[in-house]
Amino acid sequence: MAIFMKTLLFLTSISLVFSKHAAPDKNSLLFYKLISGPELAIATGLQYTTVVLTDIEWNELTAADVSSYKAVILGDPDMLNDSPLAIPVMNRDVWSPAILGNIVVIGTDPASHGGAGTGADQLMKSAITFVASDPKTGLYVALSEYYGYVDDTTVPLLDQFGEFRVRGNLDCYNKAHITVHSDAVEGLTDALLSNWGCSVHELFLKYPDGPGEFVPLAIAQDFKDTAFGIKEFADGTSGLPYIISRGAPPIKCGDGVLDKGEECDDNNTVNGDGCSYNCMIENHGGGPTTPTKGCDLCDATVGLNKCDITTGCSNTPYGTMCACRPGYRAAVPGDNIDQHWRLQWSIPGHEHRVYVKPGVVCDTLCDHWQLGAAGCAEVSIGVCKPGTTGGNTCP
């Protein structure tokens, strides 16, 4: 019995060591003492449990500790250099892998412009709520004025997520524009983000922007960098991002129409279906584990046309496909994209057209065939790449 009790006490002590800085409850946010900023008071006001770690305690963190929190909040200390990041940078390889949820990185100093009713205050509230809303651990980072007087530099704090480059020396740029429809910008407008005196301190010149990665949340509208140029967005605006996010879909993404800056748009903003939440084609290389995404082509050449008599081999932006008559689809479930599909069009007006695999019969009326453009909405949208006659151009 004595040996058993000693073993139990030993195992208990090990458990306590490994969970030394775990979240006290499921509503907890993790802060680092030197950069808690006004975000700490805002998080408390939003009814989160806040845990603030010292240098020593942050160095003792494990990935398991971090995973137990709703989000990590690295707030705005209103500093002109990144020295307050020294400890989080030192062990970024420990805590970064635990960040699997939503992320917001802000290239300005909301602490200097906050206060009740201000755009800065609303930005902090919305961003904190957004990163804490994902079931997985999120991350909020305010870059303050760390790189506000640098022409081009990396951001070591974030390099576990990919390569990030930012620039400052923006002469107090003040024209901001929101480029997402998301809870991350709940309650915000362009006017609330603009004209802070210095709304923008750092612009993102480079960041991971592949499928499921980061998207601009707000831009310095009309700003053009000499070396990196300017980005154009689906709503017709242009500029460079100063707030970026992982988890907030770009504006117009998910509407089923292929817009500027989108590789695909399958009428939703979820990952894992061939078109990511940020409207990028997933798994460009394809392979045996990649499901067909409704892209089978036909050849209109006499003797080579395999389309069923109920369809016709027609031109599309993605190559020639077997087109059903308007208002008709195949006699299979709407999401059976291996047999029939609709397409993404850059110009509205063709969304109702259904296409099928060569040889598939297309003689079943769509659920709402009489509604014209919305008549076959039950048929899923294929994720295709521009192609030509013959073959299959699925990603």
Side-chain angles (χ1 to χ4, degrees):
M1 174 64 81
I3 293 176
F4 172 77
M5 290 302 296
K6 287 181 179 179
T7 302
L8 181 61
L9 286 171
F10 175 71
L11 292 174
T12 301
S13 66
I14 291 177
S15 175
L16 288 172
V17 168
F18 281 101
S19 62
K20 189 172 183 179
H21 300 299
D25 58 44
K26 294 182 179 180
N27 195 46
S28 295
L29 302 181
L30 181 62
F31 288 78
Y32 170 53
K33 183 178 180 180
L34 290 184
I35 48 176
S36 57
E39 289 88 346
L40 180 61
I42 287 173
T44 302
L46 292 171
Q47 304 303 307
Y48 291 107
T49 302
T50 55
V51 176
V52 183
L53 299 187
T54 64
D55 290 356
I56 293 174
E57 292 169 333
W58 190 276
N59 269 322
E60 294 171 342
L61 277 174
T62 66
D65 288 335
V66 178
S67 295
S68 67
Y69 289 86
K70 293 183 76 67
V72 174
I73 311 296
L74 300 179
D76 176 18
D78 193 18
M79 292 285 289
L80 298 178
N81 62 72
D82 63 358
S83 59
L85 297 178
I87 299 300
V89 167
M90 188 180 301
N91 69 343
R92 62 192 185 279
D93 61 329
V94 174
W95 59 265
S96 295
I99 307 298
L100 299 175
N102 295 336
I103 298 176
V104 173
V105 187
I106 301 171
T108 192
D109 56 344
S112 299
H113 307 280
T118 62
D121 187 64
Q122 186 59 51
L123 172 60
M124 290 184 281
K125 286 179 180 177
S126 298
I128 290 171
T129 302
F130 176 70
V131 300
S133 67
D134 196 292
K136 298 175 182 177
T137 303
L139 174 66
Y140 168 106
V141 177
L143 293 182
S144 191
E145 296 181 67
Y146 298 149
Y147 311 109
Y149 298 95
V150 179
D151 287 329
D152 181 4
T153 186
T154 59
V155 184
L157 179 75
L158 301 174
D159 64 12
Q160 301 298 298
F161 304 102
E163 184 182 0
F164 294 79
R165 302 195 72 86
V166 297
R167 64 154 292 176
N169 288 324
L170 303 173
D171 296 326
C172 284
Y173 205 80
N174 277 306
K175 187 178 181 182
H177 174 65
I178 296 169
T179 53
V180 299
H181 285 311
S182 167
D183 292 342
V185 291
E186 180 71 27
L188 286 169
T189 64
D190 290 356
L192 284 174
L193 290 180
S194 299
N195 300 311
W196 287 8
C198 291
S199 288
V200 183
H201 284 291
E202 292 102 351
L203 291 176
F204 290 89
L205 301 175
K206 189 170 184 179
Y207 51 91
D209 60 355
E213 295 190 293
F214 290 81
V215 302
L217 191 153
I219 62 172
Q221 189 172 354
D222 300 327
F223 190 96
K224 183 177 181 179
D225 181 81
T226 303
F228 288 82
I230 192 169
K231 292 176 67 73
E232 296 183 341
F233 297 90
D235 62 354
T237 61
S238 59
L240 289 175
Y242 80 101
I243 306 176
I244 59 174
S245 168
R246 187 177 75 186
I251 197 166
K252 291 196 172 185
C253 179
D255 63 2
V257 177
L258 196 62
D259 296 300
K260 188 180 292 291
E262 297 178 351
E263 288 187 351
C264 57
D265 195 321
D266 57 353
N267 217 33
N268 68 61
T269 54
V270 298
N271 291 322
D273 61 357
C275 184
S276 67
Y277 91 90
N278 57 336
C279 287
M280 303 289 284
I281 294 174
E282 298 174 309
N283 195 352
H284 280 271
T289 60
T290 303
T292 300
K293 291 297 174 185
C295 307
D296 292 88
L297 303 181
C298 58
D299 192 329
T301 306
V302 175
L304 298 178
N305 189 348
K306 305 296 184 182
C307 292
D308 182 77
I309 195 171
T310 58
T311 67
C313 192
S314 302
N315 289 321
T316 80
Y318 308 94
T320 50
M321 296 183 179
C322 299
C324 301
R325 291 167 291 165
Y328 284 84
R329 62 179 179 82
V332 296
D335 60 356
N336 187 343
I337 206 164
D338 184 54
Q339 299 294 308
H340 66 174
W341 58 89
R342 292 182 297 124
L343 292 174
Q344 306 160 66
W345 297 87
S346 57
I347 300 175
H350 301 278
E351 298 87 349
H352 63 291
R353 295 302 301 268
V354 177
Y355 298 84
V356 297
K357 198 170 187 174
V360 171
V361 177
C362 190
D363 61 358
T364 299
L365 277 172
C366 293
D367 290 352
H368 304 287
W369 59 270
Q370 72 278 17
L371 295 183
C376 297
E378 74 271 20
V379 179
S380 296
I381 295 176
V383 180
C384 307
K385 295 171 67 177
T388 56
T389 302
N392 187 308
T393 61
C394 281

